[in-house]
């Protein structure tokens, strides 16, 4: 699923969208992996440039890149206009650099440092705020934690960039050069990316056995899998367990008397979904029933809670994923058809 979203964003980074190389890269790494790889490459290049005292407006890309990484981790679509909007500060200062490669920084040093400080503060704070509400509603906890750690490093880098900025206005002595600390944070970020990629691949190799081998390992017959699917669907529809916002895989296992790893296997492989996305399908279907039954005047936050979601953000994201429209757009369309 991840391979077929965010094409608009990808075309910004790659001009060879239809080429075989592009398709292989997307199939193998996905959008999230490609952006992480690009982010890592930019960090490497930037460290080399700093050590060689070459000043380019690269720091202006870190905030937007963190935003794109966060959106890719949620498999949300980002169009070209949004990408260009977030990269506007970078593009603006790149134009100044091209017009005056050797003296651009001295001409706009204070506005540039202020822009870097704002972007390195604003984007990480946004990501930390949003991600704190999502960890309870996603199976991609490790991915969210990884993005949060990058955001925390961004906040730390913003602090030391802020020291450099205030030193330009009111010079004062440092025991340690803040620029060296920023370089250290960049190297730590690179190490974090390497660690995440390594652990992710290790887990994928550990868990990534073919379906047939998994069936033998779990000792599940095709008949048993179909029985599990029927039982799960019947209980979800009759008991409406999905309305419980705190429903977990363990809780469902106890209620259905089906081992949780069997439930996880059936959902992941036979239903081609994950636990939270599978729950979301029932919740979104229920929300549409409520909208059609005359409760279209409910606030979206209350509607989300009624359907088992902990936040309006998750409700809106899944609603648009399954219906192609946001809840507000769907409601407006219903009213127009009356």
């Amino acid at each position: 699923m991840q391979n077929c979203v965010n094409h608009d964003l990808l075309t910004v980074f790659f001009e060879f969208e239809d080429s075989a190389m592009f398709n292989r890269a997307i199939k193998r790494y996905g959008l999230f992996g490609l952006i992480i790889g690009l982010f890592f490459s930019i960090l490497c290049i930037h460290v080399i440039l700093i050590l060689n005292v070459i000043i380019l407006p690269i720091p202006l890309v870190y905030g937007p890149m963190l935003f794109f990484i966060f959106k890719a981790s949620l498999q949300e679509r980002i169009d070209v206009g949004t990408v260009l909007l977030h990269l506007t500060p970078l593009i603006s200062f790149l134009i100044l650099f091209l017009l005056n490669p050797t003296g651009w920084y001295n001409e706009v040093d204070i506005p540039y440092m202020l822009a870097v400080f704002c972007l390195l503060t604003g984007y990480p704070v946004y990501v930390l705020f949003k991600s704190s509400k999502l960890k309870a509603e996603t199976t991609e906890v490790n991915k969210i934690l990884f993005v949060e750690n990058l955001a925390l490093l961004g906040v730390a880098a913003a602090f030391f960039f802020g020291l450099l900025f205030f030193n330009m206005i009111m010079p004062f002595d440092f025991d340690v050069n803040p620029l060296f600390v920023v370089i250290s944070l960049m190297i730590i970020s690179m190490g974090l990316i390497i660690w995440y990629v390594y652990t992710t691949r290790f887990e994928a190799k550990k868990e990534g056995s073919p379906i047939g081998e998994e069936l033998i390992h779990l000792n599940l017959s095709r008949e048993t899998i179909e029985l599990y699917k029927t039982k799960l669907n019947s209980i979800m529809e009759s008991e409406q367990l999905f309305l419980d916002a705190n429903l977990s895989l363990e809780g469902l296992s106890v209620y259905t008397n089906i081992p949780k790893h069997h439930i996880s296997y059936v959902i992941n492989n036979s239903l081609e979904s994950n636990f939270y996305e599978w729950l979301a399908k029932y919740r979104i279907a229920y929300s549409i029933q409520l909208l059609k039954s005359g409760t279209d005047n409910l606030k979206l936050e209350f509607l989300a809670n009624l359907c088992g979601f902990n936040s309006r953000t998750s409700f809106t994201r899944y609603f648009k994923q399954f219906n192609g429209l946001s809840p507000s757009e769907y409601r407006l369309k219903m009213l127009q058809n009356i």
Side-chain angles (χ1 to χ4, degrees):
M1 179 179 181
Q2 184 178 6
N3 296 341
C4 48
V5 296
N6 285 304
H7 254 217
D8 288 341
L9 173 60
L10 292 168
T11 54
V12 175
F13 296 125
F14 302 97
E15 296 179 355
F16 48 95
E17 180 181 6
D18 296 324
S19 69
M21 183 184 299
F22 175 83
N23 292 329
R24 286 197 300 270
I26 292 298
K27 184 176 181 179
R28 181 172 183 179
Y29 302 109
L31 173 66
F32 184 80
L34 289 179
I35 299 180
I36 289 296
L38 180 62
F39 187 66
F40 182 85
S41 301
I42 292 174
L43 283 170
C44 293
I45 294 171
H46 193 195
V47 169
I48 294 172
L49 291 176
I50 292 176
L51 294 177
N52 286 275
V53 198
I54 300 174
I55 302 177
L56 290 176
I58 294 178
L60 293 170
V61 79
Y62 292 137
M65 285 293 292
L66 180 63
F67 175 78
F68 299 148
I69 290 171
F70 178 62
K71 291 297 182 181
S73 71
L74 301 178
Q75 297 186 354
E76 292 186 4
R77 185 178 181 83
I78 306 174
D79 58 31
V80 175
T82 301
V83 173
L84 293 177
L85 177 64
H86 286 274
L87 294 180
T88 296
L90 172 66
I91 295 172
S92 301
F93 282 96
L94 275 177
I95 292 174
L96 294 176
F97 166 76
L98 294 174
L99 293 175
N100 186 5
T102 57
W104 76 275
Y105 179 75
N106 294 328
E107 294 179 358
V108 294
D109 53 350
I110 293 180
Y112 168 70
M113 291 298 292
L114 180 60
V116 171
F117 174 74
C118 291
L119 294 181
L120 281 180
T121 303
Y123 281 101
V125 169
Y126 168 85
V127 169
L128 290 171
F129 175 75
K130 289 291 187 180
S131 63
S132 64
K133 298 182 177 182
L134 295 173
K135 282 185 290 188
E137 300 180 6
T138 178
T139 56
E140 300 285 358
V141 177
N142 289 338
K143 187 178 289 186
I144 296 297
L145 288 175
F146 165 70
V147 177
E148 282 186 336
N149 286 330
L150 283 181
L152 288 172
L153 289 170
V155 172
F159 174 77
F160 288 100
F161 261 105
L163 291 180
L164 290 171
F165 172 68
F166 288 115
N167 185 54
M168 294 170 61
I169 301 175
M170 296 181 297
F172 53 91
D173 294 330
F174 294 104
D175 292 333
V176 179
N177 189 336
L179 185 59
F180 293 155
V181 179
V182 171
I183 294 175
S184 300
L185 290 172
M186 294 169 65
I187 294 174
I188 292 173
S189 298
M190 292 160 59
L192 178 63
I193 293 173
I194 293 173
W195 172 83
Y196 174 78
V197 171
Y198 173 78
T199 55
T200 301
R201 289 195 173 188
F202 177 78
E203 290 297 325
K205 289 181 179 179
K206 185 178 179 180
E207 299 177 1
S209 57
I211 292 179
E213 293 181 8
E214 290 185 2
L215 285 172
I216 295 173
H217 177 70
L218 291 175
N219 196 28
L220 294 179
S221 65
R222 301 286 179 180
E223 292 76 13
T224 301
I225 292 175
E226 291 301 320
L227 179 63
Y228 281 165
K229 287 168 60 177
T230 301
K231 185 175 183 180
L232 288 170
N233 184 64
S234 176
I235 289 178
M236 293 300 286
E237 291 185 349
S238 61
E239 304 294 334
Q240 295 186 323
L241 300 181
F242 55 85
L243 296 182
D244 180 4
N246 297 315
L247 180 65
S248 64
L249 186 61
E250 290 79 6
L252 182 61
S253 174
V254 172
Y255 193 91
T256 59
N257 198 29
I258 300 174
K260 66 178 183 180
H261 59 285
H262 287 191
I263 296 176
S264 181
Y265 173 79
V266 170
I267 293 175
N268 293 340
N269 295 281
S270 185
L271 299 177
E272 297 183 347
S273 185
N274 61 60
F275 180 69
Y276 288 100
E277 188 174 87
W278 177 70
L279 282 181
K281 291 179 181 179
Y282 287 99
R283 291 167 175 168
I284 294 303
Y286 184 71
S287 71
I288 292 177
Q289 290 180 19
L290 292 179
L291 289 173
K292 290 182 177 180
S293 65
T295 55
D296 54 289
N297 58 337
L298 291 176
K299 289 186 176 180
L300 292 182
E301 290 86 353
F302 186 59
L303 181 61
N305 291 334
L306 280 179
C307 299
F309 288 100
N310 283 320
S311 70
R312 174 178 171 175
T313 302
S314 296
F315 172 55
T316 301
R317 174 163 58 89
Y318 282 118
F319 196 101
K320 193 166 186 178
Q321 177 180 328
F322 297 136
N323 296 286
L325 297 172
S326 68
S328 299
E329 293 169 340
Y330 187 89
R331 175 183 286 171
L332 180 61
K333 185 177 180 181
M334 281 180 54
L335 294 175
Q336 290 173 345
N337 292 333
I338 295 177

